[in-house]
Amino acid sequence: MDVNGTKSRLFIRNEFEILKSLNSLPVVRVHGDPLSDKGGLFGFRMQELYKINVDELAKRLDELKEAIRTVHRAGIVINDVSISNVMRDAAGSIRLIDFGFAGRIGHKVPAFFPPWKPQQSVFSIETDNKGFEEIVAICKEI
């Protein structure tokens, strides 16, 4: 049991640090100053984003694929690529969200990650590629 929220704070810190390092890429923008208290970081502020429906996403799969590749070129695995984690900003640009399970390519998965996520001992783009293929399959159904 995580009585003091230690694991939750580790997840939030991991996500914040990764998103902050990717702030110029097609990911949700975060404010540089996290929310913290005497126990440390407990949250952060993000830009306002909007949902993308499946019909629109189906027309923008190439853009989504390039967004994911851009994150990979920066050395990061998202590790949770799904339709619900693809949004758009006010200008209509694709933004990837939910980097709570993200990590650096080739680095060991932290011990605080649950055993079901990710399903390998080091971060690999294979999980993101699989997630993208699942999105493609859903978009083809429409």
Side-chain angles (χ1 to χ4, degrees), residues 64 68 78-83 85-86 127-128 131-132 134-135:
L64 173 59
I68 295 167
I78 303 158
N79 212 22
D80 198 5
V81 173
S82 67
I83 285 181
N85 291 336
V86 179
T127 56
D128 291 353
F132 176 75
E134 290 171 2
I135 291 173

Side-chain angles (χ1 to χ4, degrees), residues 63-124:
E63 186 180 347
L64 173 59
K65 188 173 189 175
E66 184 55 30
I68 295 167
R69 285 182 176 165
T70 300
V71 171
H72 291 166
R73 284 191 294 272
I76 299 295
V77 173
I78 303 158
N79 212 22
D80 198 5
V81 173
S82 67
I83 285 181
S84 62
N85 291 336
V86 179
M87 300 189 82
R88 64 175 179 80
D89 63 18
S93 298
I94 289 216
R95 297 286 174 201
L96 302 170
I97 67 165
D98 198 352
F99 282 66
F101 291 114
R104 300 217 168 268
I105 295 171
H107 286 215
K108 189 174 181 180
V109 173
F112 63 85
F113 276 36
W116 51 268
K117 190 77 170 177
Q119 297 168 347
Q120 67 272 349
S121 60
V122 297
F123 289 104
S124 166

Side-chain angles (χ1 to χ4, degrees), residues 49-54 56 60 83-84 86-89:
L49 296 175
Y50 307 93
K51 187 175 182 175
I52 294 180
N53 65 43
V54 178
E56 179 183 353
R60 300 179 71 179
I83 285 181
S84 62
V86 179
M87 300 189 82
R88 64 175 179 80
D89 63 18

